[in-house]
Amino acid sequence: MLELRPSCECCDKDLPPESTEARICSFECTFCTNCTIDILKGSCPNCGGELVARPRRPMEKLVNSPATTERVFKQGGCKGSV
């Protein structure tokens, strides 16, 4: 099951479970749309994988299968990662 991480690893922007701006790779590294396009050019800086739209979990399913609250953040951002 997807973790649905709560923020962008580059800029720490909030990405709640219902966000349409979340992008993930196959390892669930999570980024916002702006960082994905402007900085990362569609590739994950951690694994080199493709970044795609993260599926949204229906709100009623979040009750028993909540999103994680653990934030992953690169202190220096992602500008030097690509």
Side-chain angles (χ1 to χ4, degrees):
M1 183 178 319
L2 292 175
E3 291 182 349
L4 302 176
R5 295 179 185 169
S7 61
C8 176
E9 290 185 28
C10 286
C11 69
D12 206 31
K13 177 180 183 172
D14 288 339
L15 296 170
E18 69 276 8
S19 177
T20 59
E21 294 186 51
R23 301 293 180 261
I24 61 172
C25 71
S26 64
F27 292 100
E28 289 190 68
C29 301
T30 304
F31 305 94
C32 69
T33 301
N34 288 341
C35 288
T36 296
I37 294 168
D38 298 339
I39 297 170
L40 304 173
K41 309 298 185 212
S43 294
C44 177
N46 303 319
C47 70
E50 176 185 25
L51 293 170
V52 297
R54 181 180 71 190
R56 292 179 306 257
R57 187 170 299 150
M59 293 303 273
E60 65 272 9
K61 300 294 183 183
L62 287 167
V63 174
N64 292 324
S65 301
T68 186
T69 57
E70 185 177 337
R71 296 175 88 88
V72 177
F73 178 61
K74 298 178 178 300
Q75 288 297 325
C78 290
K79 293 188 188 304
S81 297
V82 290

